[in-house]
């Protein structure tokens, strides 16, 4: 079933009776060539790219709950590629390029909106750091633009320019950054993968791996045993719990990250704005809600909800940079469990178990990586070698001392 | 979340700083033959349990004691709090 303007018109005239479910409800087969554990954005994207570009069709995606119910439905929908380090920037740029073509690729409206991501800076040192990052981005072929305080004021006159402690000196702007309708990403990949023959099996929880002679043979699930030649795990948030079944210990802690949305307001914020002096970022959804967030709660957590001190901290950051936020009523806040890795960067690699591959450690930035994560994980699963843009995301970088630590925090997951 | 401090009673979480898994108290001997492997595991690998988790908290806004807190990572329920120096001297 293709989507098009004509189709919408036709269905409008026929009382919308011709629409069908977006993907097949599959029942598990006995054996698959490739099994993806985790029906979030990354797992579904992996399955789609495997089926579309690597000639594999006997693929299943196992999801313990329902498609779109995990972090792909809990994030703040921001896409950007404004990283500093060589190991990261080409990967996130690949992701942004895939975002730019995703709607045509999937024939699905993911509402990709390149409304710009603006990082504010408030001191001389921060200006230097942001200039360096902007230059690094441009050297990798990414757009980065320098705004002085006047240009920032023109773009966002509602910010707090009179703050004596944290004056706004300017900003680093990536115009190609923006937001995407997060649920539609999961649905779009699920639909497109299903159309290529991928079985999407919901409410099917992996409870164990059958490993014989160092080679993975099958998974034990809540819907029985399923054999597979190769298994890719993409369950960020719960990576340690799933990989524990295969005796793989990870350089990851699970943490909870909270997000917030206000009541719907008229168009107000032009793009995504981040506050450089407190950890706070904000954008406006197409429905009009102001979507914002800040720091992790900071302690290991598998609870998909946070605590009040961080709510207070995030709201203080918001009031500091955008005082009129205090007039908006908060509609909802929620938490999501994320994989915090030891250097703040992801891992996409084979494991010591033959046939078992791992994709995780996305910290709080997995959503923007969805297309590239799927792209390179499909490459790894199909060809058994790392994709060039993800060649730094290996397990052995910790032992080798080749960390990709954007913030320079060291092995303290809660501070990245 | 409030942490029952052994001396000071229930204290708000915001008075504390979190470090991580209490396995950090068991630092491997750097002079052993397998020190590199042990030290790599010590520095980077974590069990990351869902359920009861022993972890280090520092009472920065209070008596500046390091505590070993046993806490459920799903419910936030705290079942045990000990002084880290006492835990370390027992081992």
């Amino acid at each position: 079933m293709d989507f098009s303007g004509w189709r919408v018109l036709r269905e409008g005239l026929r009382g919308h009776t011709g629409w069908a479910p977006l993907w097949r409800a599959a029942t598990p087969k006995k054996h698959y060539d490739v099994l993806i554990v985790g029906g979030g954005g990354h797992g579904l994207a992996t399955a789609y790219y495997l089926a579309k570009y690597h000639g594999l069709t006997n693929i299943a995606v196992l999801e313990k709950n329902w498609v779109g119910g995990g972090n792909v439905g809990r994030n703040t929908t921001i896409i950007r590629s404004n990283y500093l380090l060589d190991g990261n920037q080409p990967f996130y740029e690949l992701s942004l390029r895939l975002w730019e073509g995703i709607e045509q690729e999937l024939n699905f409206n993911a509402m990709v909106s390149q409304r710009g991501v603006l990082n504010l800076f408030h001191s001389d040192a921060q200006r230097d750091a942001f200039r360096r990052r902007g230059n690094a981005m441009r050297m990798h072929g990414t757009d980065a633009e320098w705004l002085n305080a006047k240009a920032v004021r023109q773009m966002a006159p509602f910010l707090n320019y009179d703050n004596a402690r944290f004056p706004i000196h300017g900003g680093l702007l990536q115009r190609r950054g923006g937001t995407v309708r997060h649920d539609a990403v999961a649905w779009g990949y699920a639909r497109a993968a299903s159309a290529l023959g991928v079985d999407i099996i919901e409410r099917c929880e992996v409870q164990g791996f059958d490993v014989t002679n160092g080679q993975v043979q099958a998974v034990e699930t809540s819907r029985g045993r399923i054999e597979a030649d190769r298994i890719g795990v993409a369950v960020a948030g719960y990576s340690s719990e799933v990989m524990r079944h295969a005796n793989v210990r990870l350089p990851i802690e699970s943490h909870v990250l909270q997000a917030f949305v206000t009541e719907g307001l008229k168009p107000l914020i032009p793009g995504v704005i981040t506050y450089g002096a407190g950890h706070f970022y904000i954008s406006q959804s197409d429905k009009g809600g102001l979507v914002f967030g800040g720091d992790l709660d900071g302690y290991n957590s598998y609870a998909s909800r946070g605590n009040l001190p961080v709510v207070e901290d995030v709201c203080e950051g918001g009031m500091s940079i955008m005082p009129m936020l205090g007039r908006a009523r908060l509609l909802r806040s929620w938490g999501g469990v994320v994989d915090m890795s030891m250097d703040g960067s992801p891992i996409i690699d084979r494991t010591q178990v033959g046939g078992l591959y791992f994709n995780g450690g996305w910290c709080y930035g997995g959503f923007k990586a969805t297309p590239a994560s799927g792209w390179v994980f499909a490459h790894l699963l199909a060809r058994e070698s790392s994709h060039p843009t993800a060649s730094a995301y290996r397990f052995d970088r910790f032992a080798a001392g080749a960390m990709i630590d954007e913030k320079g925090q060291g092995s303290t997951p809660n501070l990245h | 979340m409030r942490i029952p401090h052994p001396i000071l009673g229930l204290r708000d979480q915001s008075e504390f700083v979190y470090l991580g898994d209490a396995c950090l108290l068991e630092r491997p001997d750097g002079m052993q033959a397998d020190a590199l492997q042990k030290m790599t595991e010590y520095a980077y690998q974590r069990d990351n349990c869902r359920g009861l988790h022993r972890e280090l908290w520092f009472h920065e806004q209070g008596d500046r004691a390091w505590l070993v807190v046993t806490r459920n990572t799903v419910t936030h329920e705290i079942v045990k709090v000990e002084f880290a120096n006492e835990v370390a001297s027992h081992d």
Side-chain angles (χ1 to χ4, degrees):
Chain A
M1 182 181 71
D2 262 10
F3 287 115
S4 65
W6 285 115
R7 188 70 202 265
V8 172
L9 192 63
R10 200 178 74 166
E11 291 300 331
L13 296 171
R14 291 179 175 194
H16 294 286
T17 51
W19 301 114
L22 293 182
W23 59 87
R24 295 173 289 115
T27 45
K29 288 194 279 187
K30 189 170 179 300
H31 175 270
Y32 289 95
D33 295 341
V34 181
L35 208 53
I36 307 293
V37 182
H42 292 228
L44 294 165
T46 306
Y48 169 75
Y49 291 124
L50 272 172
K52 182 78 187 281
Y53 296 105
H54 296 280
L56 291 159
T57 48
N58 190 21
I59 304 170
V61 178
L62 307 182
E63 167 55 46
K64 77 169 173 180
N65 290 317
W66 65 93
V67 159
N71 287 343
V72 73
R74 288 175 170 269
N75 59 79
T76 46
T77 80
I78 294 164
I79 60 169
R80 58 186 172 87
S81 63
N82 53 358
Y83 284 72
L84 170 69
L85 300 177
D86 288 343
N88 276 332
Q89 182 55 26
F91 173 83
Y92 287 102
E93 179 57 23
L94 169 68
S95 205
L96 195 51
R97 287 186 185 168
L98 289 168
W99 281 122
E100 286 171 335
I102 198 167
E103 290 163 333
Q104 297 304 314
E105 174 81 32
L106 302 179
N107 176 238
F108 200 79
N109 184 8
M111 297 165 70
V112 176
S113 170
Q114 293 180 290
R115 52 184 77 178
V117 173
L118 175 64
N119 301 135
L120 300 173
F121 60 85
H122 311 269
S123 67
D124 288 351
Q126 205 168 28
R127 180 195 59 215
D128 293 348
F130 278 25
R131 262 195 194 277
R132 182 178 173 221
R133 181 143 61 95
N135 286 337
M137 289 162 66
R138 292 177 74 125
M139 287 170 75
H140 279 294
T142 302
D143 67 307
E145 212 170 303
W146 186 252
L147 300 188
N148 59 22
K150 196 177 153 204
V152 171
R153 195 187 279 261
Q154 271 179 348
M155 186 180 241
F158 49 81
L159 296 176
N160 183 3
Y161 294 89
D162 302 324
N163 186 329
R165 177 66 185 86
F166 300 116
I168 297 170
H169 287 328
L172 179 64
L173 175 67
Q174 184 182 24
R175 288 194 192 273
R176 287 167 61 241
T179 58
V180 179
R181 172 86 171 103
H182 52 353
D183 298 316
V185 175
W187 301 333
Y189 274 119
R191 168 178 170 270
S194 182
L196 292 171
V198 172
D199 280 356
I200 293 164
I201 302 164
E202 293 172 271
R203 293 189 172 77
C204 179
E205 183 176 1
V206 168
Q207 294 161 337
F209 293 96
D210 176 357
V211 179
T212 311
N213 297 328
Q215 183 73 27
V216 72
Q217 312 288 332
V219 289
E220 306 293 344
T221 76
S222 52
R223 295 178 67 173
R225 177 187 160 91
I226 307 172
E227 292 172 9
D229 297 339
R230 272 168 266 171
I231 298 174
V233 176
V235 295
Y238 291 83
S239 293
S240 299
E241 284 296 306
V242 172
M243 297 305 282
R244 198 188 317 283
H245 295 310
N247 293 319
V248 177
R249 207 161 167 244
L250 299 172
I252 285 171
E253 288 179 0
S254 293
H255 284 261
V256 64
L257 179 66
Q258 301 192 57
F260 308 82
V261 64
T262 70
E263 61 193 326
L265 302 168
K266 287 183 177 179
L268 172 68
I269 299 180
V272 180
I273 298 173
T274 73
Y275 182 25
H279 197 160
F280 177 82
Y281 61 93
I282 189 163
S283 63
Q284 189 167 19
S285 78
D286 290 311
K287 269 196 297 191
L290 304 181
V291 183
F292 59 94
D295 271 323
L296 296 168
D297 273 41
Y299 45 81
N300 285 47
S301 179
Y302 282 95
S304 297
R305 59 192 165 80
N307 265 304
L308 289 172
V310 167
V311 177
E312 185 180 23
D313 184 63
V314 170
C315 292
E316 279 173 358
M319 289 300 292
S320 167
I321 188 64
M322 189 176 152
M324 71 178 178
L325 190 62
R327 304 297 296 273
R329 278 172 296 193
L330 196 64
L331 205 59
R332 281 191 303 278
S333 73
W334 64 97
V337 180
V338 299
D339 274 8
M340 291 306 297
S341 71
M342 285 289 169
D343 62 356
S345 293
I347 297 157
I348 305 171
D349 200 0
R350 66 187 71 189
T351 66
Q352 68 261 33
V353 178
L356 183 61
Y357 298 80
F358 177 74
N359 176 331
W362 288 102
C363 300
Y364 39 74
F367 178 69
K368 75 174 94 68
T370 304
S373 171
W375 185 270
V376 304
F377 200 36
H379 184 282
L380 177 66
L381 282 159
R383 304 191 191 183
E384 301 191 41
S385 68
S386 288
H387 188 276
T389 63
S391 57
Y393 297 152
R394 308 287 300 272
F395 277 114
D396 63 8
R397 71 173 186 265
F398 299 98
M403 264 70 78
I404 314 166
D405 191 343
E406 288 275 341
K407 259 179 116 178
Q409 292 283 13
S411 58
T412 45
N414 60 335
L415 298 182
H416 285 293
Chain B
M1 190 161 70
R2 286 181 296 176
I3 296 176
H5 189 288
I7 295 173
L8 301 173
L10 273 183
R11 309 302 303 179
D12 192 88
Q13 165 214 335
S14 55
E15 294 178 7
F16 294 81
V17 174
Y18 181 78
L19 183 64
D21 193 317
C23 70
L24 289 167
L25 288 173
E26 294 145 33
R27 187 184 174 90
D29 181 352
M31 300 309 287
Q32 295 294 317
D34 59 352
L36 182 60
Q37 189 209 331
K38 285 273 167 59
M39 209 52 104
T40 304
E41 285 173 14
Y42 171 80
Y44 300 116
Q45 306 283 339
R46 297 289 182 268
D47 285 336
N48 192 22
C49 300
R50 184 170 190 271
L52 288 185
H53 187 245
R54 289 178 81 236
E55 55 200 22
L56 289 163
W57 291 80
F58 178 53
H59 198 193
E60 189 180 43
Q61 304 294 321
D63 71 341
R64 302 186 70 78
W66 280 98
L67 303 177
V68 175
V69 177
T70 307
R71 183 180 60 92
N72 189 315
T73 56
V74 182
T75 62
H76 298 158
E77 183 194 10
I78 292 169
V79 298
K80 194 174 179 187
V81 181
E82 304 151 277
F83 283 114
N85 58 358
E86 288 175 10
V87 173
S89 61
H90 280 290
D91 290 339

